[in-house]
Amino acid sequence: MSYLDKIFGNNKLTKLKIVSYTDIERTKGGKVVEAMFNPETLSHKFTTKWDKKPGIGQSGQALKYTFNPPMEMKLKLVLDKQTTIKEDLTNFLNNTWKVEGKIHQPYYLTLKWGGIIFPCRLGSVDIKYTRFDRNGNPTAAELDIVLLGDDEDKRRILRENFSSPDLTHLRIVRNGDTLPLLCQDIYGDSCYYPVVALANDLDDFRNLQPGIKLYFPPLT
């Protein structure tokens, strides 16, 4: 399923949730921040970093691809209650921005809404208080949130599936695969199989079990 299929492929009316985890695989934790009101708009930003190389003459520059930075997602959440919103705001910050003592960094996050499942980290949040009670306590606020895409390395590598020998690769072994043939396919030279065997702690590289994942380090 493509990225856009995930966005447009579900018409269920659900509340937007941001789920926090203590591990990058997003299996431990599972604390939930649920939006009081779903955002009216949600935007994504895709960028590409290019290295500018001098072109022929003085007027042109050749662009060389370097990498794709994490995708950004921007949205606005509204907090609006008759009483103070302190508890709701504290819950949001504790689960998205505050440093968690066990992992010494803020939580790993996943935004879930309809067909969207977006692994991310909090980039920033701007809080604008829009209403106060008689004692000066805020009872309404707008949160302008920026979330940065945060893929686990294994998922990212499998998704990009680059074939250049200077990049890290993961492969799932299939029937008939041998380590020299896999090295020939990835590096263009089968002689690197001892390096790959060492990187994967393989005791017997001649008998690869179908279904296992092998790590192919970048050539230096």
Side-chain angles (χ1 to χ4, degrees), residues 19-45:
V19 188
S20 58
Y21 302 91
T22 56
D23 62 320
I24 192 170
E25 290 83 11
R26 291 162 171 81
T27 59
K28 300 176 183 178
K31 296 181 180 179
V32 177
V33 175
E34 186 174 273
M36 188 176 297
F37 308 99
N38 282 333
E40 293 183 0
T41 62
L42 185 150
S43 65
H44 290 102
K45 181 180 180 181

Side-chain angles (χ1 to χ4, degrees), residues 1 17-19 26 28 58 72 86 101 109 126-127 130 135 145 151 161 166 174-175 178 186 194 202:
M1 181 179 291
K17 298 178 181 179
I18 299 176
V19 188
R26 291 162 171 81
K28 300 176 183 178
Q58 298 181 353
E72 290 186 9
K86 178 180 179 181
L109 307 174
D126 291 333
I127 303 172
T130 56
N135 297 319
I145 302 167
D151 259 353
N161 194 28
D166 60 348
R174 297 174 295 183
N175 286 323
T178 66
I186 292 173
L202 294 178

Side-chain angles (χ1 to χ4, degrees), residues 18-130:
I18 299 176
V19 188
S20 58
Y21 302 91
T22 56
D23 62 320
I24 192 170
E25 290 83 11
R26 291 162 171 81
T27 59
K28 300 176 183 178
K31 296 181 180 179
V32 177
V33 175
E34 186 174 273
M36 188 176 297
F37 308 99
N38 282 333
E40 293 183 0
T41 62
L42 185 150
S43 65
H44 290 102
K45 181 180 180 181
F46 297 85
T47 57
T48 303
K49 292 295 183 181
W50 301 94
D51 184 18
K52 295 181 179 179
K53 299 292 184 181
I56 299 176
Q58 298 181 353
S59 60
Q61 285 186 320
L63 297 178
K64 181 180 179 182
Y65 171 78
T66 55
F67 69 100
N68 285 348
M71 182 178 67
E72 290 186 9
M73 178 181 289
K74 295 183 179 181
L75 65 151
K76 177 179 290 187
L77 295 183
V78 174
L79 300 178
D80 192 335
K81 301 176 71 174
Q82 295 300 317
T83 57
T84 178
I85 58 171
K86 178 180 179 181
E87 182 177 344
D88 302 89
L89 189 55
T90 299
N91 182 50
F92 175 85
L93 293 175
N94 283 347
N95 288 290
T96 61
W97 172 78
K98 184 179 178 181
V99 174
E100 213 297 311
K102 293 182 180 179
I103 60 174
H104 308 291
Q105 56 182 310
Y107 286 105
Y108 299 92
L109 307 174
T110 298
L111 181 143
K112 299 180 179 181
W113 188 26
I116 303 174
I117 299 178
F118 182 54
C120 56
R121 308 295 286 275
L122 180 68
S124 65
V125 55
D126 291 333
I127 303 172
K128 179 182 179 182
Y129 300 102
T130 56

